[in-house]
Amino acid sequence: MDTLTTSVKKKALELGFADCRIASADVEADDGFDRWLAQGYHADMDWMARTRDVRQQAALKLPGVRSVVVLAWNYYHPDTPPLPETGKIARYARRRDYHRSLLKPLKHLASYIRECAPDEACYASTDSGPVRERAWAARAGLGWIGRHGLVIHPRFGTWFHLATILTTVPLVPDEPIPDRCGNCTACVHACPTNAIVTGRLVDSRRCIAYHTIENKGPIPDEIADRLGGWVFGCDRCQEACPWNKRTGMAAAEMDERERTFPSLTAKALLALSEEEFNRLYAGTPLMRARHAGLCRNATLVLRSAGDQRP
Ligand code: SF4
Ligand code: SF4
């Protein structure tokens, strides 16, 4: 491995990333993404279709791109407080918004690459730019794409965020790792809305995570009746995955605010004013759905639970 590749990986770990692997940018487009779009599995996330070309051809985003630095940011912690049955929030969202917490180390790493190679360019993003992060992660051998469509890291399971840096620097690529799902179908059976379809894809139109976070309109009854207590996101497929249930998984650091993240029942959520909601959840991913979205979800959760629970 050349010196720059080694030092970029070392720097990434120093900055708090859990893993760093490299993909060569010189690869063909990702069939899975095109099939996902063609089937309409992106629901009303039209920006996915609009940015199809730039996602499939990284050179449209960064002319002369040679490498993709793929980074994992662990967010797993075994001691997160239990959630009320009618107020479940996806594990990643019980923390500071990762778009913010990753930005500083990510920009720092991109600056480091530019310092080492001053004539070269970088484009850094974490779920914020038109970059097909999962495909790059698989190509770099950071993990493999599980049946539930998420990247599984051999050490961190799926409890991590992905970030990437496209760069014109020719770094030494890593090899992909084999698929380790084997004959398992636990996630497919755990999904309450049959959203996991063939080809390691998820049909967003049936996915609770999509509806409770991204869908700004009404949630179809067929999905709303199966929310199972989830008011923001859904971790059912991840919780069922044996790669996420191993003991002794590395715990990420949490600050005091994250340790005391308010876990409210659906009824308690509905009782919050918009101002109280904003004060309690400022800086967390819940702000994406806003007070109105959480209230809609909480109302449907109570409806599907017969409105009997505390
Ligand atoms: S997030 Fe929930 S609804 Fe979506 S695929 Fe996973 S289990 Fe199914
Ligand atoms: S639950 Fe099983 S099939 Fe699904 S992603 Fe995990 S290992 Fe793969």
Side-chain angles (χ1 to χ4, degrees), residues 135-189:
W136 289 124
R139 168 60 62 170
L142 191 87
W144 71 98
I145 297 179
R147 278 202 174 83
H148 49 28
L150 300 168
V151 177
I152 304 178
H153 188 285
R155 278 185 291 139
F156 305 110
T158 56
W159 307 125
F160 69 95
H161 297 301
L162 275 173
T164 53
I165 300 176
L166 308 181
T167 178
T168 53
V169 180
L171 299 169
V172 179
D174 291 295
E175 287 296 316
I177 61 172
D179 174 0
R180 297 182 191 165
C181 281
N183 295 325
C184 176
T185 52
C187 55
V188 178
H189 294 297

